[in-house]
């Protein structure tokens, strides 16, 4: 049985458009310790906030910086533990609820290498399609996969109400612990069910990879072959011109009249009327031009 370690990050305000964050306040994790033979919650926190670049420097130099003193040694020991777990040391498997944020917007930019992980949000989506949770397809179905909603149907502990964290505070630790515990419970509830079914397992793995590709495209942009696009545009233009040429040659046209508005309707648009009596087939060169149809009051526009 897989031994999961659930990881959750708390950060400063998440920007609406890019979903980026300026600083990290804390990273917490919850797991069953094989050494202590009990469930353990631990965390590292940064009350003043730390940037991705600053934390990356700590991660990359954790072994050396651990020699600075007792307090620093404990901090860097935790960093090394987290770094090893995320890089796939095999002892525990990382799991997130919404890896597109925690992995790609927080941990990897901060110097951690996340090789193999699970995502309970995606797993819940695969195991429990939106319609089974009450979605009618008219609203954002992913709201059904929040920890709060999944907790309300008994798949994990009920999520604590999120305070309005404008700065770091001690209450954040309890909130983070609750999210880590819920993610851990959810992983053990839904992922084994997926792994036991070949079709669900295949769909879940595909979703994980798709999420990774889509998130990286969002972050880095997508390479565009301008020459290929222009070449394709030329092909489409030529095809459209050929179709239009065929229509002009083979399809009969009509003559329609543009009736001038009366004085009291002068501010309204010209009225477009079709004159059945004036129909006919005219040369292609007449398309878009006014033609004489022998009608005393008419000025007619020939169109296909």
């Amino acid at each position: 049985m897989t031994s999961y370690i659930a990881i959750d990050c708390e950060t400063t305000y998440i920007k609406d458009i890019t979903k980026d964050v300026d600083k990290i306040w804390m990273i917490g994790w919850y797991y069953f310790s094989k050494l202590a033979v009990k469930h353990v919650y631990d965390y590292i926190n940064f009350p003043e906030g730390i940037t991705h670049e600053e934390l990356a420097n700590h991660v990359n130099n954790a072994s050396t910086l651990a020699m600075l003193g007792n307090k620093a040694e404990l901090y860097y020991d935790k960093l090394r533990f987290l770094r090893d777990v995320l890089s796939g040391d095999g002892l525990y498997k990382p799991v997130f609820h919404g890896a597109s944020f925690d992995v790609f917007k927080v941990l990897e930019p901060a110097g951690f290498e996340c090789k193999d992980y699970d995502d309970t949000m995606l797993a819940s989506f695969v195991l429990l399609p939106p319609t089974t949770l009450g979605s009618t397809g008219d609203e954002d179905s992913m709201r059904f996969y929040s920890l709060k909603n999944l907790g309300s149907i008994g798949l994990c502990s009920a999520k604590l109400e999120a305070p309005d964290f404008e700065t770091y505070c001690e209450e954040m630790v309890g909130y983070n612990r609750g999210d880590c515990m819920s993610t851990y419970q959810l992983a053990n509830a839904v992922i084994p069910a997926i792994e036991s079914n070949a079709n669900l397992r295949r769909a879940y793995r595909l979703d994980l990879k798709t999420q990774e590709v889509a998130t990286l495209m969002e972050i880095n942009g997508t390479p565009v072959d301008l020459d290929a696009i222009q070449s394709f545009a030329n092909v489409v233009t030529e095809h459209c011109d050929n179709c239009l040429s065929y229509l002009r040659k083979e399809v009969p046209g009509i003559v329609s009249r543009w009736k001038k508005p009366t004085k009291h309707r002068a501010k309204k648009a010209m009225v477009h009327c079709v004159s059945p009596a004036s129909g006919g087939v005219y040369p292609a060169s007449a398309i878009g031009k006014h033609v004489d149809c022998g009608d005393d009051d008419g000025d007619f526009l020939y169109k296909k």
Side-chain angles (χ1 to χ4, degrees):
M1 182 177 177
T2 303
S3 297
Y4 288 108
I5 179 167
I7 302 171
D8 186 51
C9 306
E10 308 298 339
T11 67
T12 54
Y13 175 73
I14 302 172
K15 298 175 183 176
D16 291 332
I17 304 298
T18 63
K19 305 301 180 186
D20 290 334
V21 296
D22 291 323
K23 290 187 177 182
I24 303 163
W25 275 328
M26 68 174 296
I27 304 171
W29 54 92
Y30 184 88
Y31 65 109
F32 184 82
S33 172
K34 296 178 180 179
L35 181 62
V37 197
K38 64 178 182 179
H39 287 98
V40 173
Y41 169 72
D42 207 349
Y43 65 93
I44 50 177
N45 62 337
F46 315 96
E48 301 300 321
I50 190 169
T51 65
H52 292 103
E53 293 76 13
E54 290 169 338
L55 183 53
N57 181 59
H58 292 186
V59 172
N60 294 331
N61 297 284
S63 298
T64 303
L65 295 173
M67 297 183 292
L68 294 177
N70 291 336
K71 186 176 180 180
E73 184 176 1
L74 177 61
Y75 165 67
Y76 287 109
D77 279 345
K78 291 182 179 183
L79 270 186
R80 282 185 294 181
F81 170 77
L82 190 59
R83 181 191 64 190
D84 292 344
V85 164
L86 289 170
S87 64
D89 66 357
L91 196 58
Y92 304 101
K93 187 172 186 181
V95 60
F96 305 89
H97 193 75
S100 60
F101 175 73
D102 291 294
V103 171
F104 297 104
K105 296 299 180 73
V106 181
L107 295 172
E108 287 202 339
F112 293 100
E113 183 181 12
C114 305
K115 286 187 175 181
D116 185 27
Y117 57 85
D118 276 308
D119 188 329
T120 50
M121 182 178 286
L122 284 181
S124 301
F125 181 83
V126 171
L127 187 63
L128 302 168
T131 51
T132 66
L133 298 179
S135 173
T136 61
D138 296 328
E139 66 275 17
D140 179 13
S141 63
M142 292 311 293
R143 72 181 179 85
F144 290 95
Y145 301 97
S146 66
L147 287 176
K148 180 178 181 179
N149 195 68
L150 293 171
S152 71
I153 61 176
L155 289 176
C156 60
S157 299
K159 179 180 173 67
L160 298 176
E161 288 298 324
D164 186 14
F165 293 129
E166 295 184 359
T167 60
Y168 178 84
C169 59
E170 290 304 317
E171 288 80 4
M172 190 179 291
V173 177
Y175 176 77
N176 180 269
R177 185 179 190 274
D179 279 4
C180 288
M181 285 183 61
S182 295
T183 302
Y184 177 84
Q185 294 164 354
L186 198 54
N188 286 286
V190 301
I191 296 178
I194 289 177
E195 294 296 339
S196 65
N197 183 296
N199 290 332
L200 291 179
R201 183 170 64 250
R202 187 159 49 247
Y204 172 58
R205 293 300 166 192
L206 178 61
D207 276 355
L208 274 175
K209 193 62 182 177
T210 301
Q211 175 181 255
E212 178 184 349
V213 172
T215 305
L216 290 175
M217 286 172 62
E218 178 186 278
I219 295 171
N220 301 323
T222 305
V224 176
D225 189 334
L226 296 178
D227 291 337
I229 290 178
Q230 184 60 56
S231 177
F232 179 69
N234 293 340
V235 171
V236 172
T237 300
E238 182 180 359
H239 177 70
C240 291
D241 288 343
N242 290 338
C243 290
L244 184 58
S245 177
Y246 174 81
L247 290 173
R248 286 175 173 172
K249 180 180 178 182
E250 303 293 337
V251 180
I254 63 167
V255 174
S256 58
R257 179 174 60 190
W258 292 91
K259 188 176 181 180
K260 294 182 180 180
T262 57
K263 288 184 179 180
H264 71 277
R265 298 181 63 190
K267 293 184 179 180
K268 295 187 177 181
M270 299 287 279
V271 181
H272 179 223
C273 324
V274 173
S275 176
S278 304
V281 179
Y282 292 83
S285 59
I287 292 179
K289 298 180 180 179
H290 292 272
V291 296
D292 181 9
C293 300
D295 199 324
D296 292 340
D297 67 344
D299 186 18
F300 297 91
L301 180 66
Y302 175 57
K303 54 189 289 188
K304 287 287 186 181

